Protein backbone atom coordinates (compact mmCIF):
# COMPACT_ATOMS: atom_id res chain seq x y z
CA UNK A 1 0.00 0.00 0.00
CA UNK A 2 1.32 3.46 -0.87
CA UNK A 3 0.12 6.97 -0.18
CA UNK A 4 1.43 9.86 -2.27
CA UNK A 5 1.29 13.20 -0.52
CA UNK A 6 2.59 16.69 -1.24
CA UNK A 7 5.53 17.45 0.99
CA UNK A 8 4.79 19.88 3.82
CA UNK A 9 6.79 22.64 5.41
CA UNK A 10 6.17 24.83 8.48
CA UNK A 11 6.70 28.05 6.57
CA UNK A 12 5.98 29.56 3.16
CA UNK A 13 9.40 31.17 2.74
CA UNK A 14 10.68 31.47 -0.82
CA UNK A 15 14.01 30.01 -1.82
CA UNK A 16 16.85 32.38 -2.68
CA UNK A 17 17.56 30.39 -5.84
CA UNK A 18 14.33 28.95 -7.20
CA UNK A 19 15.76 28.13 -10.64
CA UNK A 20 14.15 24.91 -11.86
CA UNK A 21 16.40 21.96 -12.59
CA UNK A 22 16.49 20.52 -16.08
CA UNK A 23 15.56 16.86 -16.54
CA UNK A 24 18.46 14.56 -15.83
CA UNK A 25 20.28 13.12 -18.85
CA UNK A 26 22.02 9.74 -18.52
CA UNK A 27 25.75 9.49 -19.25
CA UNK A 28 25.96 5.96 -20.60
CA UNK A 29 29.09 6.66 -22.64
CA UNK A 30 31.00 7.64 -19.49
CA UNK A 31 29.93 4.44 -17.77
CA UNK A 32 30.96 2.29 -20.69
CA UNK A 33 34.36 3.99 -20.94
CA UNK A 34 35.44 4.02 -17.28
CA UNK A 35 33.30 1.50 -15.41
CA UNK A 36 32.03 4.39 -13.28
CA UNK A 37 28.35 4.99 -13.91
CA UNK A 38 27.36 8.52 -12.89
CA UNK A 39 23.70 7.50 -13.03
CA UNK A 40 24.10 4.60 -10.60
CA UNK A 41 22.03 5.05 -7.45
CA UNK A 42 24.34 5.12 -4.44
CA UNK A 43 23.97 5.50 -0.68
CA UNK A 44 25.98 8.40 0.76
CA UNK A 45 24.52 8.72 4.25
CA UNK A 46 23.27 6.22 6.84
CA UNK A 47 21.45 6.70 10.13
CA UNK A 48 20.10 4.02 12.47
CA UNK A 49 18.19 3.91 15.76
CA UNK A 50 17.88 0.24 16.66
CA UNK A 51 17.95 -2.17 19.60
CA UNK A 52 21.72 -2.37 19.01
CA UNK A 53 22.09 1.37 19.57
CA UNK A 54 22.63 4.44 17.43
CA UNK A 55 24.33 4.24 14.06
CA UNK A 56 25.43 1.50 11.65
CA UNK A 57 28.69 0.93 13.54
CA UNK A 58 26.81 -0.20 16.65
CA UNK A 59 24.73 -2.54 14.50
CA UNK A 60 27.80 -3.97 12.77
CA UNK A 61 29.62 -4.50 16.07
CA UNK A 62 26.71 -6.44 17.57
CA UNK A 63 26.30 -8.54 14.43
CA UNK A 64 30.01 -9.32 14.06
CA UNK A 65 30.30 -10.33 17.71
CA UNK A 66 27.04 -12.32 17.62
CA UNK A 67 25.61 -10.30 20.51
CA UNK A 68 21.81 -10.19 20.33
CA UNK A 69 20.18 -6.95 21.41
CA UNK A 70 17.02 -8.71 22.58
CA UNK A 71 15.77 -8.43 26.14
CA UNK A 72 12.79 -9.51 28.25
CA UNK A 73 9.67 -7.71 27.09
CA UNK A 74 8.74 -4.64 29.11
CA UNK A 75 6.14 -1.93 28.79
CA UNK A 76 4.49 0.18 31.50
CA UNK A 77 1.03 -0.19 29.95
CA UNK A 78 1.12 -3.74 28.63
CA UNK A 79 1.17 -6.59 31.12
CA UNK A 80 1.66 -10.05 29.64
CA UNK A 81 3.35 -13.35 30.33
CA UNK A 82 2.92 -14.47 26.74
CA UNK A 83 5.57 -12.20 25.17
CA UNK A 84 8.97 -13.26 26.46
CA UNK A 85 11.47 -11.09 24.54
CA UNK A 86 11.48 -7.96 22.41
CA UNK A 87 14.00 -5.84 20.53
CA UNK A 88 13.58 -2.62 22.51
CA UNK A 89 15.36 0.58 21.50
CA UNK A 90 17.37 1.49 24.64
CA UNK A 91 15.58 3.99 26.88
CA UNK A 92 18.40 6.55 26.72
CA UNK A 93 18.42 6.40 22.92
CA UNK A 94 14.64 6.71 22.82
CA UNK A 95 15.04 9.91 24.82
CA UNK A 96 17.62 11.18 22.31
CA UNK A 97 15.13 10.50 19.55
CA UNK A 98 12.46 12.51 21.33
CA UNK A 99 14.89 15.37 21.87
CA UNK A 100 15.73 15.44 18.15
CA UNK A 101 12.16 16.51 17.32
CA UNK A 102 11.29 20.21 17.67
CA UNK A 103 9.25 20.66 20.83
CA UNK A 104 6.20 22.04 19.05
CA UNK A 105 6.02 18.95 16.84
CA UNK A 106 6.30 16.28 19.53
CA UNK A 107 2.57 16.11 20.22
CA UNK A 108 2.08 14.99 16.61
CA UNK A 109 4.58 12.12 16.77
CA UNK A 110 4.98 8.71 18.33
CA UNK A 111 8.05 7.04 19.89
CA UNK A 112 8.91 5.18 16.71
CA UNK A 113 8.48 8.24 14.48
CA UNK A 114 10.83 10.09 16.84
CA UNK A 115 13.33 7.30 16.11
CA UNK A 116 12.81 7.92 12.41
CA UNK A 117 13.49 11.64 12.75
CA UNK A 118 16.77 10.99 14.58
CA UNK A 119 17.85 8.36 12.04
CA UNK A 120 17.04 10.78 9.20
CA UNK A 121 18.97 13.55 10.92
CA UNK A 122 22.03 11.28 11.27
CA UNK A 123 21.83 10.08 7.65
CA UNK A 124 21.68 13.64 6.35
CA UNK A 125 24.65 14.66 8.51
CA UNK A 126 26.65 11.64 7.31
CA UNK A 127 25.97 12.60 3.69
CA UNK A 128 27.97 15.80 4.19
CA UNK A 129 27.28 19.49 4.60
CA UNK A 130 27.06 20.09 0.85
CA UNK A 131 23.97 17.87 0.78
CA UNK A 132 22.11 20.64 2.61
CA UNK A 133 22.61 22.91 -0.42
CA UNK A 134 20.19 20.80 -2.46
CA UNK A 135 17.00 22.87 -2.83
CA UNK A 136 14.16 21.61 -0.66
CA UNK A 137 11.90 21.03 -3.65
CA UNK A 138 14.55 18.74 -5.19
CA UNK A 139 14.74 16.46 -2.12
CA UNK A 140 12.64 13.32 -2.38
CA UNK A 141 11.30 11.63 0.75
CA UNK A 142 10.19 7.99 0.72
CA UNK A 143 9.04 6.47 3.98
CA UNK A 144 8.31 2.86 4.86
CA UNK A 145 6.23 2.49 8.01
CA UNK A 146 4.82 -0.55 9.75
CA UNK A 147 1.04 -0.55 10.07
CA UNK A 148 1.52 1.02 13.49
CA UNK A 149 -0.61 3.78 14.94
CA UNK A 150 -0.56 5.58 18.26
CA UNK A 151 -4.26 5.21 18.99
CA UNK A 152 -3.84 1.76 20.45
CA UNK A 153 -5.20 0.01 23.50
CA UNK A 154 -2.04 1.13 25.31
CA UNK A 155 -2.71 4.79 24.48
CA UNK A 156 -6.18 4.64 26.04
CA UNK A 157 -4.82 2.71 29.01
CA UNK A 158 -2.29 5.48 29.58
CA UNK A 159 -4.97 8.16 29.22
CA UNK A 160 -7.23 6.39 31.71
CA UNK A 161 -4.33 6.00 34.12
CA UNK A 162 -3.58 9.72 33.89
CA UNK A 163 -7.23 10.61 34.42
CA UNK A 164 -7.38 8.53 37.60
CA UNK A 165 -4.46 10.42 39.13
CA UNK A 166 -5.47 13.86 37.86
CA UNK A 167 -6.00 16.34 40.74
CA UNK A 168 -6.82 19.35 38.61
CA UNK A 169 -10.21 21.12 38.90
CA UNK A 170 -11.27 19.44 35.64
CA UNK A 171 -10.55 15.98 37.02
CA UNK A 172 -12.94 13.23 35.99
CA UNK A 173 -13.08 10.40 33.55
CA UNK A 174 -15.36 11.82 30.85
CA UNK A 175 -15.13 10.21 27.44
CA UNK A 176 -14.28 13.54 25.78
CA UNK A 177 -11.38 14.12 28.14
CA UNK A 178 -10.19 10.53 27.83
CA UNK A 179 -10.18 10.63 24.04
CA UNK A 180 -8.44 14.00 24.05
CA UNK A 181 -5.72 12.65 26.33
CA UNK A 182 -5.25 9.59 24.13
CA UNK A 183 -4.83 11.91 21.13
CA UNK A 184 -2.15 13.83 23.01
CA UNK A 185 -4.00 16.97 24.05
CA UNK A 186 -5.73 16.74 27.41
CA UNK A 187 -6.96 20.34 27.51
CA UNK A 188 -8.97 20.42 24.30
CA UNK A 189 -9.55 17.95 21.55
CA UNK A 190 -7.40 19.06 18.62
CA UNK A 191 -8.45 17.22 15.43
CA UNK A 192 -5.01 17.78 13.84
CA UNK A 193 -3.43 15.42 16.35
CA UNK A 194 -5.19 12.58 14.51
CA UNK A 195 -2.00 12.61 12.43
CA UNK A 196 -0.52 10.38 15.14
CA UNK A 197 -2.97 7.67 14.14
CA UNK A 198 -2.10 7.71 10.44
CA UNK A 199 0.17 5.29 8.63
CA UNK A 200 1.97 8.22 7.00
CA UNK A 201 2.81 9.80 10.36
CA UNK A 202 6.54 9.24 9.82
CA UNK A 203 6.49 10.97 6.46
CA UNK A 204 4.58 13.94 7.82
CA UNK A 205 6.86 14.47 10.80
CA UNK A 206 10.12 14.17 8.85
CA UNK A 207 8.95 16.37 6.00
CA UNK A 208 8.07 19.14 8.45
CA UNK A 209 11.05 18.74 10.78
CA UNK A 210 13.67 18.40 8.02
CA UNK A 211 12.10 20.63 5.36
CA UNK A 212 11.31 18.39 2.40
CA UNK A 213 9.20 19.86 -0.39
CA UNK A 214 9.95 17.47 -3.22
CA UNK A 215 8.38 14.26 -4.43
CA UNK A 216 7.32 12.02 -1.56
CA UNK A 217 5.46 8.81 -0.84
CA UNK A 218 4.50 6.75 2.20
CA UNK A 219 4.57 2.95 1.99
CA UNK A 220 2.95 0.65 4.51
CA UNK A 221 3.08 -3.04 5.47
CA UNK A 222 6.18 -4.59 6.97
CA UNK A 223 9.45 -5.25 5.10
CA UNK A 224 7.68 -4.95 1.74
CA UNK A 225 7.17 -1.25 2.43
CA UNK A 226 10.93 -0.64 2.54
CA UNK A 227 11.47 -2.40 -0.78
CA UNK A 228 8.71 -0.29 -2.33
CA UNK A 229 10.25 2.90 -0.95
CA UNK A 230 13.68 1.98 -2.35
CA UNK A 231 12.18 1.24 -5.76
CA UNK A 232 10.35 4.56 -5.84
CA UNK A 233 13.43 6.50 -4.70
CA UNK A 234 15.65 4.90 -7.37
CA UNK A 235 13.05 5.56 -10.06
CA UNK A 236 12.70 9.27 -9.25
CA UNK A 237 16.48 9.72 -9.13
CA UNK A 238 16.93 8.03 -12.51
CA UNK A 239 14.07 10.04 -14.02
CA UNK A 240 15.49 13.28 -12.65
CA UNK A 241 12.43 14.09 -10.56
CA UNK A 242 14.69 14.76 -7.58
CA UNK A 243 18.43 15.15 -6.95
CA UNK A 244 18.55 13.36 -3.61
CA UNK A 245 16.24 10.88 -1.96
CA UNK A 246 15.89 10.15 1.74
CA UNK A 247 14.52 6.67 2.38
CA UNK A 248 13.38 5.91 5.93
CA UNK A 249 12.03 2.69 7.37
CA UNK A 250 10.50 2.77 10.84
CA UNK A 251 8.01 1.07 13.08
CA UNK A 252 7.34 -0.91 16.21
CA UNK A 253 5.58 -4.17 16.94
CA UNK A 254 5.04 -2.98 20.51
CA UNK A 255 1.30 -2.55 20.28
CA UNK A 256 -1.05 -4.87 22.20
CA UNK A 257 -3.27 -5.95 19.32
CA UNK A 258 -0.30 -6.61 17.03
CA UNK A 259 1.52 -8.59 19.71
CA UNK A 260 -1.62 -10.61 20.41
CA UNK A 261 -2.13 -11.36 16.70
CA UNK A 262 1.43 -12.64 16.29
CA UNK A 263 1.17 -14.71 19.45
CA UNK A 264 -2.11 -16.31 18.37
CA UNK A 265 -0.61 -17.08 14.97
CA UNK A 266 2.14 -19.04 16.72
CA UNK A 267 4.93 -16.84 15.39
CA UNK A 268 6.57 -15.87 18.70
CA UNK A 269 9.19 -17.76 20.66
CA UNK A 270 8.29 -18.67 24.24
CA UNK A 271 11.89 -17.87 25.17
CA UNK A 272 14.42 -20.10 26.87
CA UNK A 273 16.70 -20.18 29.90
CA UNK A 274 19.84 -19.95 27.77
CA UNK A 275 18.84 -16.57 26.37
CA UNK A 276 18.99 -17.84 22.77
CA UNK A 277 15.60 -16.34 22.06
CA UNK A 278 15.75 -16.35 18.27
CA UNK A 279 17.38 -19.30 16.47
CA UNK A 280 17.21 -18.63 12.74
CA UNK A 281 17.20 -21.84 10.68
CA UNK A 282 18.22 -23.99 13.64
CA UNK A 283 16.49 -27.35 14.19
CA UNK A 284 15.43 -26.11 17.64
CA UNK A 285 13.93 -22.83 16.44
CA UNK A 286 10.57 -22.08 18.04
CA UNK A 287 9.56 -18.63 16.91
CA UNK A 288 10.63 -15.08 16.24
CA UNK A 289 11.22 -12.06 18.46
CA UNK A 290 9.57 -8.81 17.42
CA UNK A 291 11.39 -5.49 17.58
CA UNK A 292 11.31 -1.77 16.88
CA UNK A 293 13.63 0.77 15.29
CA UNK A 294 14.37 3.04 12.37
CA UNK A 295 16.95 3.24 9.58
CA UNK A 296 17.45 6.11 7.13
CA UNK A 297 19.50 6.21 3.93
CA UNK A 298 20.46 9.14 1.69
CA UNK A 299 20.40 8.06 -1.96
CA UNK A 300 21.61 10.02 -4.95
CA UNK A 301 23.14 9.58 -8.38
CA UNK A 302 26.80 8.64 -8.21
CA UNK A 303 27.89 11.48 -10.49
CA UNK A 304 26.15 14.06 -8.31
CA UNK A 305 27.64 12.55 -5.15
CA UNK A 306 31.19 12.61 -6.47
CA UNK A 307 30.75 16.13 -7.86
CA UNK A 308 29.86 17.48 -4.43
CA UNK A 309 32.70 15.58 -2.74
CA UNK A 310 30.63 12.84 -1.11
CA UNK A 311 31.80 9.23 -0.90
CA UNK A 312 29.45 6.57 -2.29
CA UNK A 313 29.15 3.81 0.32
CA UNK A 314 27.13 1.24 -1.59
CA UNK A 315 25.39 1.00 -4.95
CA UNK A 316 21.73 0.05 -4.79
CA UNK A 317 21.01 -2.04 -7.89
CA UNK A 318 17.35 -2.87 -7.37
CA UNK A 319 14.61 -4.65 -5.45
CA UNK A 320 11.91 -7.20 -6.22
CA UNK A 321 8.63 -7.89 -4.40
CA UNK A 322 5.92 -10.49 -5.06
CA UNK A 323 3.30 -12.66 -3.33
CA UNK A 324 4.90 -15.35 -1.16
CA UNK A 325 4.22 -18.75 0.35
CA UNK A 326 1.34 -17.42 2.43
CA UNK A 327 -0.34 -16.50 -0.86
CA UNK A 328 0.05 -19.96 -2.33
CA UNK A 329 3.33 -19.38 -4.19
CA UNK A 330 5.90 -22.12 -3.63
CA UNK A 331 9.55 -21.51 -2.67
CA UNK A 332 10.85 -22.73 -6.04
CA UNK A 333 8.70 -20.17 -7.84
CA UNK A 334 9.76 -17.49 -5.38
CA UNK A 335 13.39 -18.05 -6.37
CA UNK A 336 12.58 -16.58 -9.79
CA UNK A 337 12.27 -13.09 -8.27
CA UNK A 338 15.81 -12.80 -6.89
CA UNK A 339 17.19 -14.84 -9.81
CA UNK A 340 15.70 -12.32 -12.24
CA UNK A 341 17.08 -9.45 -10.17
CA UNK A 342 20.56 -10.95 -10.40
CA UNK A 343 20.29 -11.57 -14.15
CA UNK A 344 19.14 -8.01 -14.75
CA UNK A 345 22.48 -6.81 -13.42
CA UNK A 346 24.69 -9.46 -14.97
CA UNK A 347 25.09 -11.56 -11.83
CA UNK A 348 24.47 -15.20 -11.03
CA UNK A 349 24.36 -16.99 -7.67
CA UNK A 350 27.92 -18.18 -8.35
CA UNK A 351 29.23 -14.62 -8.64
CA UNK A 352 27.46 -13.27 -5.54
CA UNK A 353 29.57 -12.24 -2.58
CA UNK A 354 27.02 -13.05 0.11
CA UNK A 355 23.35 -13.66 0.82
CA UNK A 356 21.59 -12.18 3.84
CA UNK A 357 18.61 -14.38 4.63
CA UNK A 358 15.55 -13.22 6.51
CA UNK A 359 15.65 -16.03 9.09
CA UNK A 360 12.60 -15.05 11.13
CA UNK A 361 13.01 -18.12 13.33
CA UNK A 362 9.50 -19.51 13.01
CA UNK A 363 9.24 -23.17 12.04
CA UNK A 364 7.18 -22.46 8.94
CA UNK A 365 8.87 -19.29 7.62
CA UNK A 366 12.39 -20.68 7.97
CA UNK A 367 11.47 -24.00 6.37
CA UNK A 368 10.07 -22.16 3.34
CA UNK A 369 13.09 -19.87 3.14
CA UNK A 370 15.52 -22.80 3.42
CA UNK A 371 13.79 -24.37 0.41
CA UNK A 372 13.97 -21.03 -1.42
CA UNK A 373 17.72 -20.83 -0.73
CA UNK A 374 18.25 -24.36 -2.04
CA UNK A 375 16.35 -23.55 -5.22
CA UNK A 376 18.18 -20.25 -5.73
CA UNK A 377 21.75 -21.12 -4.80
CA UNK A 378 21.98 -24.81 -5.86
CA UNK A 379 25.38 -25.66 -4.35
CA UNK A 380 26.90 -22.40 -5.61
CA UNK A 381 28.92 -22.13 -2.40
CA UNK A 382 27.72 -18.60 -1.65
CA UNK A 383 27.76 -18.06 2.14
CA UNK A 384 24.46 -17.21 3.81
CA UNK A 385 24.18 -15.05 6.92
CA UNK A 386 21.29 -13.51 8.86
CA UNK A 387 21.00 -10.43 11.04
CA UNK A 388 17.68 -11.47 12.56
CA UNK A 389 18.97 -13.20 15.75
CA UNK A 390 20.71 -9.95 16.72
CA UNK A 391 17.97 -7.38 16.08
CA UNK A 392 14.77 -9.39 16.05
CA UNK A 393 12.15 -8.92 13.34
CA UNK A 394 12.27 -5.21 12.50
CA UNK A 395 9.47 -4.89 9.97
CA UNK A 396 9.84 -1.84 7.72
CA UNK A 397 13.35 -1.04 8.99
CA UNK A 398 14.69 -4.54 8.25
CA UNK A 399 15.75 -4.29 4.58
CA UNK A 400 17.30 -0.86 5.15
CA UNK A 401 19.31 -2.18 8.11
CA UNK A 402 20.89 -4.81 5.89
CA UNK A 403 21.62 -2.30 3.14
CA UNK A 404 23.24 -0.12 5.81
CA UNK A 405 25.58 -3.00 6.70
CA UNK A 406 26.79 -3.57 3.13
CA UNK A 407 29.67 -1.04 3.37
CA UNK A 408 31.07 -2.97 6.34
CA UNK A 409 30.87 -6.24 4.40
CA UNK A 410 32.74 -4.67 1.48
CA UNK A 411 35.40 -3.06 3.68
CA UNK A 412 36.14 -5.98 6.02
CA UNK A 413 35.61 -8.97 3.74
CA UNK A 414 33.76 -10.71 6.56
CA UNK A 415 30.28 -12.19 6.73
CA UNK A 416 29.32 -12.63 10.42
CA UNK A 417 28.00 -15.91 11.70
CA UNK A 418 24.32 -16.59 12.31
CA UNK A 419 24.04 -16.34 16.09
CA UNK A 420 22.71 -19.48 17.85
CA UNK A 421 22.76 -21.62 14.72
CA UNK A 422 24.02 -25.08 15.66
CA UNK A 423 22.02 -27.49 13.49
CA UNK A 424 21.27 -26.09 10.02
CA UNK A 425 18.40 -27.46 7.94
CA UNK A 426 20.57 -29.17 5.30
CA UNK A 427 24.04 -29.42 3.75
CA UNK A 428 23.05 -27.86 0.43
CA UNK A 429 23.24 -24.27 1.68
CA UNK A 430 26.39 -22.74 3.19
CA UNK A 431 25.02 -21.13 6.37
CA UNK A 432 27.79 -19.25 8.22
CA UNK A 433 28.26 -20.82 11.65
CA UNK A 434 30.68 -20.50 14.55
CA UNK A 435 32.80 -17.59 13.28
CA UNK A 436 32.72 -14.87 10.62
CA UNK A 437 33.47 -16.06 7.09
CA UNK A 438 36.48 -14.40 5.43
CA UNK A 439 35.75 -13.66 1.79
CA UNK A 440 35.93 -10.82 -0.69
CA UNK A 441 32.42 -9.44 -0.94
CA UNK A 442 31.53 -7.20 -3.88
CA UNK A 443 27.78 -7.85 -4.00
CA UNK A 444 25.06 -8.70 -1.50
CA UNK A 445 21.61 -10.18 -2.03
CA UNK A 446 19.20 -9.61 0.85
CA UNK A 447 16.01 -11.70 1.19
CA UNK A 448 12.87 -10.74 3.08
CA UNK A 449 9.43 -12.08 3.83
CA UNK A 450 6.45 -10.46 5.52
CA UNK A 451 3.73 -11.75 7.81
CA UNK A 452 1.09 -10.71 5.28
CA UNK A 453 2.03 -12.85 2.32
CA UNK A 454 4.82 -11.11 0.41
CA UNK A 455 8.46 -11.92 -0.27
CA UNK A 456 11.16 -9.70 -1.66
CA UNK A 457 14.83 -9.18 -2.31
CA UNK A 458 17.24 -6.31 -2.72
CA UNK A 459 20.60 -6.29 -4.48
CA UNK A 460 23.56 -4.09 -3.57
CA UNK A 461 27.09 -3.79 -4.94
CA UNK A 462 30.45 -2.29 -4.05
CA UNK A 463 30.46 1.21 -5.58
CA UNK A 464 32.75 2.21 -8.45
CA UNK A 465 34.21 5.64 -7.72
CA UNK A 466 36.90 5.92 -10.40
Amino acid sequence: MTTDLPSTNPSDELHDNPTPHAPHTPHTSDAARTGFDPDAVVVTGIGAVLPTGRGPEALWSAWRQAQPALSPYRDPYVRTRKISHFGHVPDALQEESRDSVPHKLRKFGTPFTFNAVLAAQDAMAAAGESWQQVPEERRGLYVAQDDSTDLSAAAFHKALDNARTDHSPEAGVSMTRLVAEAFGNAATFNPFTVIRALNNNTLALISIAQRFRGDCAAFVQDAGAALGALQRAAFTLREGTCDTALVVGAGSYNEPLKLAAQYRAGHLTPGGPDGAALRSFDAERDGTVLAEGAVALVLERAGDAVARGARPLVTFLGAALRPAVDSGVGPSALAEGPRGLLAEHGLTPDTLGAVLADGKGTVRHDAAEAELLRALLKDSGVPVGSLRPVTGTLGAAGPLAELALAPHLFATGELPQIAHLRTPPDDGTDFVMGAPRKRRIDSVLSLHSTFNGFAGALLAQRPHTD
Side-chain angles (χ1 to χ4, degrees):
M1 177 179 178
T2 172
T3 303
D4 292 333
L5 296 173
S7 187
T8 54
N9 197 283
S11 70
D12 294 323
E13 298 173 352
L14 297 177
H15 295 287
D16 294 332
N17 182 18
T19 305
H21 283 52
H24 183 68
T25 303
H27 305 285
T28 53
S29 59
D30 291 344
R33 184 171 60 253
T34 67
F36 170 70
D37 181 3
D39 297 303
V41 175
V42 297
V43 176
T44 56
I46 301 171
V49 177
L50 295 167
T52 51
R54 183 176 179 180
E57 290 75 18
L59 178 62
W60 168 253
S61 178
W63 189 30
R64 187 175 182 275
Q65 297 174 36
Q67 293 182 341
L70 309 177
S71 58
Y73 177 76
R74 65 183 190 279
D75 187 276
Y77 295 100
V78 180
R79 299 177 181 88
T80 176
R81 296 179 181 178
K82 305 295 186 183
I83 312 301
S84 64
H85 290 72
F86 194 83
H88 292 283
V89 169
D91 292 342
L93 181 53
Q94 189 68 67
E95 200 60 35
E96 287 183 55
S97 295
R98 180 179 175 82
D99 291 344
S100 72
V101 179
H103 189 271
K104 65 181 180 179
L105 297 179
R106 291 177 191 171
K107 65 181 179 180
F108 304 129
T110 68
F112 76 83
T113 57
F114 297 157
N115 293 337
V117 171
L118 181 58
Q121 175 182 298
D122 286 351
M124 293 163 63
E129 291 185 4
S130 59
W131 189 87
Q132 300 292 343
Q133 297 173 11
V134 177
E136 295 171 15
E137 69 274 11
R138 298 293 299 175
R139 300 180 188 179
L141 177 59
Y142 308 96
V143 169
Q145 180 175 313
D146 291 344
D147 53 349
S148 310
T149 63
D150 190 61
L151 288 187
S152 63
F156 281 98
H157 185 167
K158 180 179 179 181
L160 183 59
D161 213 28
N162 289 342
R164 286 170 175 161
T165 59
D166 188 353
H167 300 294
S168 67
E170 297 83 13
V173 188
S174 71
M175 183 55 69
T176 300
R177 184 174 176 78
L178 183 62
V179 171
E181 174 69 22
F183 271 88
N185 189 336
T188 58
F189 179 74
N190 182 349
F192 187 58
T193 57
V194 77
I195 196 172
R196 297 172 64 188
L198 299 179
N199 284 325
N200 57 13
N201 177 262
T202 305
L203 182 144
L205 202 62
I206 292 176
S207 66
I208 296 171
Q210 302 294 352
R211 302 176 68 89
F212 281 81
R213 293 189 180 186
D215 183 67
C216 64
F219 295 79
V220 191
Q221 296 289 356
D222 216 336
L227 299 177
L230 285 167
Q231 288 175 322
R232 173 67 175 264
F235 175 80
T236 54
L237 285 169
R238 290 169 180 142
E239 290 296 305
T241 306
C242 60
D243 294 325
T244 62
L246 181 66
V247 179
V248 185
S252 175
Y253 280 103
N254 191 13
E255 196 282 318
L257 297 180
K258 294 174 70 175
L259 291 171
Q262 296 299 334
Y263 175 79
R264 288 170 181 165
H267 292 156
L268 306 186
T269 175
D274 60 355
L278 201 165
R279 306 172 185 83
S280 297
F281 299 111
D282 194 79
E284 296 184 2
R285 68 188 184 277
D286 56 4
T288 195
V289 176
L290 302 176
E292 62 189 357
V295 177
L297 306 173
V298 170
L299 273 62
E300 55 191 308
R301 294 179 292 267
D304 294 342
V306 171
R308 68 176 185 83
R311 182 169 69 94
L313 303 173
V314 56
T315 299
F316 170 67
L317 295 180
L321 185 66
R322 62 170 296 171
V325 175
D326 292 346
S327 299
V329 180
S332 296
L334 283 178
E336 295 304 316
R339 189 178 290 121
L341 186 60
L342 292 172
E344 182 181 348
H345 297 281
L347 294 171
T348 64
D350 302 86
T351 57
L352 264 177
V355 172
L356 301 184
D358 194 5
K360 277 185 166 55
T362 73
V363 174
R364 183 168 59 85
H365 285 94
D366 279 14
E369 188 172 18
E371 187 176 339
L372 164 62
L373 289 167
R374 284 193 297 272
L376 175 65
L377 301 180
K378 291 183 178 177
D379 300 316
S380 62
V382 179
V384 176
S386 179
L387 178 64
R388 208 63 57 231
V390 172
T391 63
T393 295
L394 288 169
L400 303 188
E402 297 186 356
L403 191 55
L405 286 168
H408 292 278
L409 297 174
F410 300 148
T412 64
E414 288 186 357
L415 179 60
Q417 63 175 295
I418 302 176
H420 311 312
L421 178 57
R422 302 293 180 266
T423 309
D426 59 73
D427 296 329
T429 302
D430 186 12
F431 293 99
V432 179
M433 300 166 52
R437 181 72 54 83
K438 294 285 187 178
R439 173 186 176 93
R440 179 176 175 86
I441 300 174
D442 291 324
S443 56
V444 177
L445 177 70
S446 174
L447 302 176
H448 297 275
S449 63
T450 72
F451 288 122
N452 53 10
F454 285 87
L458 68 84
L459 185 60
Q461 192 174 57
R462 184 189 296 268
H464 293 283
T465 55
D466 303 318

